[in-house]
Amino acid sequence: MGLALVRGILTVAPEIAPHLVVSSREAGSLRERIRGLDVRVAETNLEAVKGAQLVVLAVKPQILPSVLAQVKDALAPGTTVVSIAAGVPTTVLEEGLGPGIGVVRAMPNVAASVQASATAIARGKTTRPVDLERARSLLSTVGMVVEVDEELMDAVTGLSGTGPLYLFLILEGLSDAGVKVGLSRATSTELAIQTLVGAAQLVRATGEHPAKLRDLVTSPGGTAITALHSLEKSGLKAMLLDAVEAATKRSQELGAKWRPRPPGELPGH
Ligand SMILES: NC(=O)c1ccc[n+]([C@@H]2O[C@H](COP(=O)([O-])OP(=O)(O)OC[C@H]3O[C@@H](n4cnc5c(N)ncnc54)[C@H](OP(=O)(O)O)[C@@H]3O)[C@@H](O)[C@H]2O)c1
């Protein structure tokens, strides 16, 4: 994810390259991984954040508290810190970094690696408009960005964070289906991909509710109504509703460990 962001920034705003600094646990292996990209690799996280206006934390959630402790004292007041760690609330960031730092929590998805992420951002208690603006301009280099209330971040995780999985499965199914009715695998997959992209573009371009577009392509006695009958019998829409709801619940469960426990409650309860 961190690398996807670096690539996005370098593509959209290459003039920023001289100001970009990256770090990981081991500078040598990071240099190898980003070979060919015009960015400076710092030896430590502390060195990376010194003098920074905007810091992005793209480590795994369980590692985040230790990284917050490492960089805390090197951050100047007014710095914006964006965390993309799934499930980690802004309160943990705010407590870990102390006053004067504006935190933004973000949930991109894997399509950030091709600059087509659907990303949501949420503010914390002390986030200023400039923090949101910085986060938005950074994350928009890898796709679209919407702001939501933090309490909706689990829903975002269920829908767009996990969403590529649903569509990979649908694409796999359509590709198999094309093969079943006689197309080559390559032709079937290409047609399925373009159909998915084209349908999404049509919904966006017209601004219509998908159900209205579905109705438009459903002619009496035709193929669409016949296929629709089959899909309704299989309960495709109910399956998607179930999947997003289940992923949202799982995200809530995973995030529960970050919430303060009422006095006397034991861990894991
Ligand atoms: N992948 C997704 O689709 C996705 C979507 C939404 C949100 N996220 C969030 O994005 C974050 C990163 O996910 P990812 O999939 O990119 O994971 P990843 O591929 O494992 O990347 C994590 C990076 O953190 C570095 N790292 C580990 N310990 C570190 C430390 N102490 N200091 C500095 N860097 C350290 C690792 O490099 P070294 O091992 O070289 O240190 C690695 O480059 C996670 O919090 C995840 O929840 C991911």
Side-chain angles (χ1 to χ4, degrees):
M1 267 293 165
L3 196 51
L5 281 169
V6 170
R7 287 211 175 93
I9 295 164
L10 292 178
T11 307
V12 174
E15 70 280 4
I16 290 177
H19 307 288
L20 264 185
V21 185
V22 295
S23 67
S24 75
R25 276 173 306 180
E26 220 273 289
S29 75
L30 183 57
R31 268 191 204 97
E32 277 298 304
R33 271 182 285 161
I34 64 160
R35 202 153 20 142
L37 294 180
D38 185 19
V39 292
R40 183 159 79 78
V41 177
E43 290 301 319
T44 63
N45 293 334
L46 195 68
E47 183 196 324
V49 305
K50 268 189 192 142
Q53 192 179 60
L54 173 61
V55 173
V56 180
L57 301 173
V59 296
K60 293 283 186 198
Q62 62 274 23
I63 293 167
L64 194 67
S66 67
V67 173
L68 295 177
Q70 276 172 18
V71 300
K72 178 179 191 286
D73 293 334
L75 297 175
T79 307
T80 303
V81 174
V82 177
S83 161
I84 64 165
V88 183
T90 53
T91 47
V92 169
L93 302 167
E94 284 166 346
E95 279 158 27
L97 295 172
I101 307 299
V103 307
V104 179
R105 176 177 165 191
M107 172 49 66
N109 71 23
V110 71
S113 54
V114 289
Q115 291 155 37
S117 176
T119 302
I121 55 175
R123 63 179 85 199
K125 282 196 206 69
T126 57
T127 311
R128 303 154 303 167
V130 68
D131 300 312
L132 285 172
E133 201 34 59
R134 287 173 182 165
R136 197 179 268 280
S137 59
L138 169 90
L139 292 161
S140 61
T141 65
V142 291
M144 62 83 84
V145 181
V146 296
E147 188 191 345
V148 299
D149 288 341
E150 186 168 15
E151 63 189 22
L152 290 173
M153 282 304 245
D154 291 312
V156 166
T157 304
L159 180 63
S160 55
T162 317
L165 166 105
Y166 314 138
L167 296 167
F168 292 152
L169 204 61
I170 285 176
L171 276 174
E172 184 191 335
L174 288 176
S175 172
D176 280 355
V179 171
K180 181 145 197 238
V181 293
L183 296 167
S184 73
R185 171 65 68 188
T187 303
S188 180
T189 303
E190 277 308 314
L191 287 173
I193 292 169
Q194 183 52 36
T195 304
L196 187 80
V197 171
Q201 282 177 349
L202 190 61
V203 177
R204 174 168 281 161
T206 58
E208 294 288 3
H209 191 289
K212 184 158 181 204
L213 294 173
R214 172 171 59 69
D215 197 38
L216 280 178
V217 297
T218 311
S219 51
T223 57
I225 191 69
T226 309
L228 182 67
H229 185 192
S230 171
L231 289 169
E232 292 289 9
K233 275 196 287 194
S234 313
L236 177 68
K237 204 155 87 174
M239 278 182 215
L240 291 171
L241 289 165
D242 281 347
V244 173
E245 194 174 48
T248 301
K249 280 194 182 134
R250 184 65 186 136
S251 175
Q252 287 163 348
E253 283 165 15
L254 291 171
K257 68 169 174 236
W258 300 102
R259 284 192 282 280
R261 279 187 298 277
E265 188 179 300
L266 297 172
H269 288 69

